[in-house]
Amino acid sequence: MRSITSTVTGACALVLAMGIAVPLAPTAHAEPCGNPGPGSSGSVGSGPGSSGPGSSGPGSSGPGSGSLGSSRPRGDAYQGPLPTLHSGPVRTVAWVTGPRSENRTDTRFSISGTDLGIMWDNGRTGAERQVLMAFGDTFGDCSAADQQWRHNTLMRTADDDLSDGISVPDPVPGDIYSGAPVETAAPHFARELIGSLGIDGIEKTVIPTAGIAVGGVQFINAMSVRKWGDHGEWWTNASMIASSHDNGENWELHPATVRLNVPLDVPGVQQVSPGNANFQQHAYVRHGGYVYDFGTPQGRFGSAHVARVPEGQILDLAAYEYWTGEAWMLDAVDAASPVVGAPVSELSVHWTGEEFVMLYGNEDRGAIEMRTASAAEGPWSPPIELVHHTRIGGLYAPYVHPWSSGKDLYFTASRWSDYNVMLLRTTVP
């Protein structure tokens, strides 16, 4: 297939090609650029993210918090100062994105608002070693008609001193180790990686949920979102893997990795495995020659499951083994047993060299939580609350920085009211 950077139809073309009828879901509204859309009223919800992994375009909703109301100013001014935590297990370090960040992503990358910041080591050595960061729905010039909406973007960094934040170099057209993929005609506009139809109820957007490198090749797992809902709900068509052989510059989608999450009713076509529903959002971690793939359902209210695959076979779904609660089994997605009970949202998993650490949002408690385990399948420790919504409202999507070492754990998280990504620090107990 050709690079997805120029594919307008994006991921959902795979679903539509199979003749699937896509049901509709309720509509909500959010204003990532600060300009209220139709029906905007109310306030940010109280969960760890009152949004979801991205808002879905100008005047439409993110996954779920109700509206932000009309009190927010239009344009760049909606990003507030970095919130400060004076006590507890977490400290804020710096904004990573937005006009208030040291990176000034608004002028250098045309990114005034975005979220997620999924990070992974690119698997290269020497001067080519970097951390890649994938973001969800991204907005630039809020005064533009389309607010320069991109479904997803990527930035690169080699900064290994995280104590003062994450520094991203300038973007350079054609330089695959510069700060972001850009075109010669737009050298300060981080371009979209994976296309989407952008049609509400069919495919509204395509959001990265996990990233990893194997053998110097980059892999992103993304979800095709057909509709946003309210209060942590959204509906997916499928999840799928895209790969890049040039350090995230261009991406190729792999149809054989699509995990459909909509009913098939086509004579002669194999029906969808119900277990696919548990692997619509992902978290990757490498360990012992395997890529461990943690999966959760659409939205924020499901349990976490885990599969594993030999590193060199990440694109072969037939090679995945699923933890059933008693053993690892091939071809057993329907038998996968939860390793962490609901609700688990936007999780990341990190191997410290001694144990696995998991961060995720608990929508019921309105908190970011941590668990640890000596094995990917568990048993996982009881949750440790890191940040409650009463301390930083609207915080969601904690993604561990892969260069965290020892007991120091750095992670990104997004705050809906600012619709930007910050870096935080905690300690593994």
Side-chain angles (χ1 to χ4, degrees):
M1 293 179 64
R2 61 184 177 140
S3 164
I4 301 180
T5 56
S6 60
T7 302
V8 176
T9 53
C12 198
L14 295 174
V15 179
L16 295 177
M18 302 183 74
I20 297 171
V22 183
L24 297 178
T27 301
H29 301 277
E31 301 78 52
C33 262
N35 50 321
S40 62
S41 61
S43 59
V44 176
S46 61
S50 353
S51 77
S55 28
S56 45
S60 55
S61 82
S65 59
S67 312
L68 299 176
S70 58
S71 60
R72 289 171 62 194
R74 180 181 179 88
D76 296 345
Y78 69 78
Q79 185 182 20
L82 181 75
T84 302
L85 294 173
H86 297 286
S87 62
V90 170
R91 297 290 185 272
T92 53
V93 179
W95 283 115
V96 177
T97 65
R100 288 184 180 265
S101 70
E102 290 296 323
N103 290 314
R104 283 307 304 264
T105 59
D106 57 328
T107 57
R108 297 171 65 228
F109 301 91
S110 299
I111 297 176
S112 60
T114 191
D115 69 348
L116 302 188
I118 300 160
M119 298 175 287
W120 69 96
D121 187 302
N122 70 351
R124 304 193 179 190
T125 59
E128 295 181 353
R129 188 186 184 208
Q130 292 180 308
V131 167
L132 273 55
M133 297 184 289
F135 299 91
D137 284 297
T138 300
F139 299 83
D141 182 356
C142 290
S143 65
D146 62 353
Q147 299 170 356
Q148 294 184 327
W149 176 31
R150 285 143 284 171
H151 298 280
N152 40 73
T153 51
L154 180 139
M155 293 195 293
R156 312 178 183 100
T157 176
D159 190 354
D160 59 0
D161 180 5
L162 304 177
S163 62
D164 59 353
I166 299 175
S167 177
V168 180
D170 288 334
V172 178
D175 183 351
I176 66 171
Y177 297 101
S178 72
V182 293
E183 302 291 352
T184 302
H188 299 290
F189 186 83
R191 58 182 169 81
E192 187 173 274
L193 307 175
I194 303 173
S196 171
L197 293 174
I199 302 174
D200 207 22
I202 297 177
E203 183 183 65
K204 188 60 178 175
T205 191
V206 172
I207 303 292
T209 66
I212 199 165
V214 178
V217 179
Q218 314 306 315
F219 297 93
I220 279 178
N221 203 305
M223 62 176 174
S224 167
V225 178
R226 69 177 178 270
K227 192 81 173 179
W228 295 127
D230 282 326
H231 310 298
E233 291 185 324
W234 55 88
W235 292 265
T236 62
N237 295 305
S239 69
M240 64 217 73
I241 298 175
S243 67
S244 170
H245 291 262
D246 53 7
N247 203 41
E249 193 77 4
N250 297 284
W251 294 85
E252 177 185 0
L253 187 65
H254 297 275
T257 68
V258 171
R259 295 180 183 269
L260 287 170
N261 191 41
V262 287
L264 268 176
D265 189 17
V266 181
V269 177
Q270 183 178 0
Q271 300 302 293
V272 175
S273 295
N276 281 347
N278 294 322
F279 288 87
Q280 291 301 294
Q281 299 173 85
H282 298 255
Y284 288 144
V285 62
R286 290 174 60 187
H287 181 65
Y290 287 96
V291 171
Y292 286 88
D293 178 7
F294 291 81
T296 58
Q298 61 190 10
R300 287 207 167 113
F301 299 101
S303 302
H305 303 71
V306 65
R308 69 181 186 183
V309 63
E311 289 183 357
Q313 296 177 273
I314 190 171
L315 296 177
D316 182 5
L317 291 188
Y320 282 67
E321 297 178 311
Y322 299 86
W323 179 250
T324 67
E326 298 180 352
W328 293 99
M329 291 183 59
L330 284 168
D331 194 27
V333 64
D334 294 343
S337 177
V339 294
V340 175
V344 177
S345 71
E346 292 126 335
L347 76 148
S348 61
V349 183
H350 176 68
W351 171 251
T352 68
E354 297 180 355
E355 61 186 344
F356 292 95
V357 178
M358 175 189 293
L359 301 186
Y360 62 93
N362 184 316
E363 188 78 0
D364 287 347
R365 294 195 182 107
I368 300 295
E369 296 182 342
M370 171 195 292
R371 294 178 188 253
T372 60
S374 59
E377 66 271 23
W380 287 87
S381 71
I384 299 169
E385 183 176 288
L386 297 183
V387 184
H388 193 262
H389 75 87
T390 54
R391 306 195 69 206
I392 301 184
L395 197 69
Y396 63 101
Y399 293 108
V400 179
H401 194 292
W403 292 356
S404 297
S405 60
K407 295 294 185 180
D408 289 332
L409 198 73
Y410 288 88
F411 64 97
T412 56
S414 307
R415 191 165 76 158
W416 178 246
S417 57
D418 307 88
Y419 199 64
N420 270 294
V421 178
M422 67 181 74
L423 181 69
L424 303 96
R425 177 180 177 177
T426 190
T427 301
V428 181

